[in-house]
Amino acid sequence: MKRIGLFLLTNIAVLAVAMITMNLLGVGSYMQGTSLDLGNLFAFAAIIGFAGSFVSLAMSKWLAKMSVGAQVIKQPRNADEQWLVETVRRQAEKAGIGMPEVAIYEGAEPNAFATGMTKNSALVAVSTGLLRHMRQNEVEAVLGHEVAHIANGDMVTMALLQGVVNTFVIFFAKIVAYVVDRVVLKNESEGHSIAFIVVDIVAQILFGILASMITMWFSRKREFHADNGGAYLAGKENMIAALQRLQTMQPGELPDQMAAFGISARPSNIGDLFRSHPPLEKRIEALRATTQDQLKVA
């Protein structure tokens, strides 16, 4: 129920931002009588597409805390929490970014993620399962991986990419719906018919599946960069050890908006093209082939 509530709240915020933006920019209806205004349609698609990705990005820290129950360490209560905060602080300084918030969330399985709208206002969260089942040097490498995601600007880059693909999904879906409605079914009434709405929904689903292949491909590439950055911040052997440890365990699930920035993810049920993370063996192989002078962030 909590995730449904957060989903509805996010979508209400997206619609509000989109409507305000369209009013400010003077974007009119993309349906002019029985004709399709491609200029207004593209503007509509871009506003809706980017509003969705950037509202989610702007709300990402709050959504993360609410969805997984992450508790920010404001004042360390024990040596483990003190070590977590100091390790992230040291890595953030080395990476040249502002100190992220550090949080812990309840989860029997190991995982961690980073999120936030800017490099200097981010959040790094780890599960209790990760702290319980991994050695300290391995946890340090996982933290380095997440700090590297922040330093590399992956959250903003993914939001931009998502905005672009959202735009084209909406744009082309409505063109397909218009062609089916007006040309194939020869509907001559003004406005949206039931056929237009149904075809639009189906086309958005199909184009959305194709678009997710693009975003997942990019996500997999960013994982290699984050591993490289984690090796730079915490040591190459520690990063390899952390990935090897993850090979022996089932990663904890994360909400969709954070899954791409987790340390690991479960394989997709619909094929490797829809994986947000490369196989762990390929990540380990890539790190082993990397020389010390090739390790870096940003």
Side-chain angles (χ1 to χ4, degrees):
M1 287 298 294
K2 180 190 289 187
R3 290 192 181 181
I4 293 174
L6 293 174
F7 173 79
L8 291 174
L9 182 62
T10 303
N11 278 275
I12 291 170
V14 169
L15 288 174
V17 169
M19 289 176 65
I20 292 169
T21 304
M22 282 188 276
N23 286 332
L24 290 174
L25 297 179
V27 176
S29 173
Y30 56 82
M31 287 296 292
Q32 303 294 333
T34 60
S35 299
L36 195 63
D37 186 323
L38 292 179
N40 276 335
L41 173 58
F42 190 79
F44 170 84
I47 290 169
I48 295 294
F50 279 93
S53 58
F54 276 97
V55 166
S56 294
L57 179 64
M59 297 175 66
S60 60
K61 285 207 298 182
W62 180 80
L63 287 170
K65 294 171 188 176
M66 292 294 292
S67 59
V68 301
Q71 298 296 312
V72 175
I73 303 173
K74 295 180 180 179
Q75 186 65 41
R77 296 168 297 180
N78 52 53
D80 289 337
E81 290 189 358
Q82 184 69 43
W83 177 84
L84 275 176
V85 171
E86 290 306 316
T87 300
V88 172
R89 188 187 309 280
R90 185 179 69 253
Q91 292 177 346
E93 288 175 357
K94 188 174 181 180
I97 62 171
M99 175 64 183
E101 290 184 292
V102 182
I104 300 174
Y105 65 95
E106 287 294 329
E109 297 166 320
N111 217 327
F113 65 88
T115 193
M117 191 166 187
T118 70
K119 294 182 181 182
N120 296 319
S121 179
L123 169 75
V124 173
V126 298
S127 71
T128 52
L130 183 132
L131 297 175
R132 190 178 303 116
H133 297 297
M134 297 186 81
R135 298 187 179 96
Q136 193 173 80
N137 66 309
E138 295 164 349
V139 175
E140 181 180 0
V142 170
L143 293 173
H145 174 99
E146 301 307 333
V147 169
H149 268 309
I150 299 168
N152 291 339
D154 289 341
M155 292 76 175
V156 174
T157 307
M158 282 292 288
L160 285 169
L161 177 61
Q162 192 65 58
V164 170
V165 298
N166 287 348
T167 297
F168 284 101
V169 165
I170 295 168
F171 182 71
F172 286 115
K174 293 194 183 300
I175 289 177
V176 169
Y178 178 83
V179 170
V180 171
D181 188 40
R182 304 292 175 175
V183 179
V184 178
L185 300 179
K186 302 188 184 304
N187 176 36
E188 296 181 359
S189 61
E190 293 187 5
H192 296 148
S193 69
I194 294 297
F196 180 97
I197 295 170
V198 171
V199 174
D200 182 29
I201 292 171
V202 172
Q204 285 200 45
I205 292 172
L206 294 176
F207 289 151
I209 291 171
L210 294 176
S212 69
M213 293 168 62
I214 297 172
T215 56
M216 290 302 98
W217 168 80
F218 184 78
S219 176
R220 290 193 297 273
K221 286 182 65 70
R222 300 314 299 169
E223 284 305 305
F224 288 115
H225 289 289
D227 286 342
N228 185 290
Y232 170 75
L233 295 171
K236 178 178 171 179
E237 293 307 314
N238 288 340
M239 192 71 243
I240 291 174
L243 295 177
Q244 288 175 327
R245 177 76 62 180
L246 288 169
Q247 284 183 306
T248 68
M249 297 182 287
Q250 184 82 326
E253 286 192 85
L254 292 171
D256 291 344
Q257 67 268 30
M258 290 171 281
F261 306 111
I263 183 62
S264 186
R266 295 179 182 181
S268 169
N269 292 326
I270 50 177
D272 288 349
L273 290 176
F274 298 93
R275 293 177 63 135
S276 61
H277 290 60
L280 287 164
E281 57 270 20
K282 288 188 177 180
R283 293 167 64 181
I284 293 168
E285 182 182 331
L287 270 180
R288 283 178 171 156
T290 303
T291 60
Q292 192 64 35
D293 60 354
Q294 291 175 315
L295 301 178
K296 61 180 181 179
V297 295

